[in-house]
Amino acid sequence: MRAAVLRAYRADLSIETVADPGCEEDGVVLKTLACGVCRSDWHGWVGEHPRVKPGQIPGHEYCGEVVEAGPRSGWKVGDRLIAPFILACGSCPACQSGQSNTCFDQRLPGFIEPGAFAEYISVPRSAQNLTRLPESLSPVMAAGLGCRVTTAWHALTGRAAVQAGEWLAVHGTGGIGLSCLLLGQALGARVIVVDVVQEKLDHALALGAEAAVNARDGDVAAKIREITGGPGAHVSIEALGLEVTTNGSIDCLRPLGRHVQVGMPVGHTATMQINMNTVYMKNLALYGTRGMPAWRYPSLLGLIEAGRVDIRPLIAREIGLSGASAELRAFDGPTPPGVAVISDFLS
């Protein structure tokens, strides 16, 4: 099969012909229909993700059609499926408690095992992890859900428990940030977006953000307090994994506010200096979140199928497999609005 392979950090991915994947007894082999390009892929490409090594095939935001099914897979050839990026075991204490995104024995295509920047991908543990692709959702849109929309959904509902009428601040308007904007609106929150790229702020305002703050213009927390009439946001999402935005997210909260760390702190940002005095004085809650338990897909897909949220504005570009390197390189600087999805694996 044709695949994009990481041979050296920060070098263009190598487009190669590699062996087709095998099918595990409890898994399936998917023909990859689409795969998103994510900032998490960038962390591996630059060498900051501790699990991503040269020789890796990236790609963890994928959907596909079953071309081979193991006897314990629960699926059949021709089924179209969506995969979470964390493949949980289903039997450990975390999985049994419903928190499969914290599974003690995770399998991670795209990070440790071959991912979906390829024509085909082997997906183990498919019965408890994969979800059928609704007829109304195109493969490109499904891949656009990727880790960004699913993670945002769990951050807002499974962690912060955002309520209608609450002020929600979103720091960073990339894929995760836009997802939080769209889903926050669907939940009835009043959304404030923060970024340093005015084009992205304008895009978010066009999608319905109630207010936008350019972080280059001064004290972000003060501006958010002004917008909210004094006390600050009820919930704040950090969507970049940077120290400055993490502290900005914490500082903009009102007393008893909830901060959710969605951006990945890894490599040089893994350890941060955090304003814990603000956490202490305001009685704040700090949540981490990563991924979404697979059993929560129906709640998210139902919201989309009911027309309560439109994720189409997330997708800015459809690209070929050979275009993945340029998308990864673009994450080195401020990116334009929207995300890229690989939909052609032969070009």
Side-chain angles (χ1 to χ4, degrees):
M1 66 174 182
R2 196 166 185 262
V5 185
L6 173 69
R7 291 299 177 192
Y9 298 128
R10 286 197 170 277
D12 284 353
L13 301 177
S14 175
I15 306 299
E16 303 177 9
T17 299
V18 302
D20 290 345
C23 185
E24 299 190 27
E25 189 173 279
D26 65 350
V28 296
V29 174
L30 299 179
K31 178 182 179 182
T32 311
L33 298 176
C35 184
V37 182
C38 176
R39 183 172 287 273
S40 298
D41 297 313
W42 174 83
H43 283 299
W45 178 72
V46 301
E48 288 200 330
H49 195 298
R51 297 179 176 181
V52 177
K53 308 299 181 184
Q56 177 66 44
I57 299 173
H60 60 284
E61 299 185 321
Y62 58 93
C63 66
E65 181 177 322
V66 177
V67 295
E68 187 177 355
R72 295 194 292 112
S73 71
W75 303 102
K76 65 181 186 300
V77 172
D79 286 339
R80 290 188 163 198
L81 308 174
I82 308 171
F85 73 89
I86 298 170
L87 300 177
C89 71
S91 58
C92 72
C95 288
Q96 291 296 301
S97 69
Q99 305 301 327
S100 59
N101 59 318
T102 65
C103 173
F104 297 172
D105 182 27
Q106 301 174 11
R107 295 186 64 172
L108 301 169
F111 297 103
I112 299 175
E113 304 177 30
F117 283 12
E119 290 184 82
Y120 300 95
I121 180 171
S122 177
V123 188
R125 300 174 170 176
S126 58
Q128 65 263 37
N129 287 293
L130 303 193
T131 300
R132 191 178 301 278
L133 176 66
E135 292 292 332
S136 61
L137 198 63
S138 74
V140 168
M141 289 297 108
L145 292 177
C147 73
R148 58 184 66 89
V149 179
T150 56
T151 297
W153 180 241
H154 189 57
L156 294 173
T157 60
R159 303 298 282 157
V162 170
Q163 303 298 307
E166 288 190 318
W167 285 101
L168 168 64
V170 180
H171 300 257
T173 57
I176 285 281
L178 286 181
S179 299
C180 287
L181 164 62
L182 296 173
L183 293 171
Q185 287 177 311
L187 293 168
R190 304 177 70 180
V191 186
I192 304 167
V193 294
V194 183
D195 209 295
V196 295
V197 180
Q198 190 60 45
E199 180 189 6
K200 295 171 79 170
L201 293 171
D202 293 341
H203 181 62
L205 287 169
L207 294 177
E210 189 158 336
V213 176
N214 192 318
R216 297 187 190 277
D217 293 341
D219 188 334
V220 169
K223 291 180 184 299
I224 290 176
R225 286 193 292 269
E226 181 181 352
I227 292 166
T228 61
H234 297 86
V235 175
S236 189
I237 301 289
E238 198 285 338
L240 291 168
L242 303 176
E243 181 175 308
V244 63
T245 42
T246 297
N247 278 303
S249 174
I250 291 169
D251 290 344
C252 81
L253 288 167
R254 65 181 60 199
L256 301 178
R258 292 101 76 196
H259 162 87
V260 188
Q261 189 63 40
V262 181
M264 180 191 294
V266 69
H268 74 283
T269 66
T271 301
M272 303 179 185
Q273 288 190 318
I274 299 300
N275 186 352
M276 291 302 293
N277 181 260
T278 296
V279 176
Y280 172 78
M281 294 299 293
K282 290 187 177 181
N283 289 235
L284 303 180
L286 306 187
Y287 294 96
T289 197
R290 173 174 170 266
M292 179 185 78
W295 63 265
R296 301 205 65 211
Y297 263 106
S299 66
L300 174 59
L301 295 176
L303 192 77
I304 295 169
E305 288 191 282
R308 290 184 56 196
V309 63
D310 182 3
I311 65 168
R312 289 176 298 176
L314 283 175
I315 311 301
R317 298 170 299 286
E318 291 186 45
I319 63 171
L321 184 62
S322 60
S325 297
E327 294 294 335
L328 292 173
R329 202 175 297 282
F331 282 116
D332 280 335
T335 55
V339 300
V341 173
I342 301 169
S343 57
D344 181 355
F345 292 84
L346 298 177
S347 67

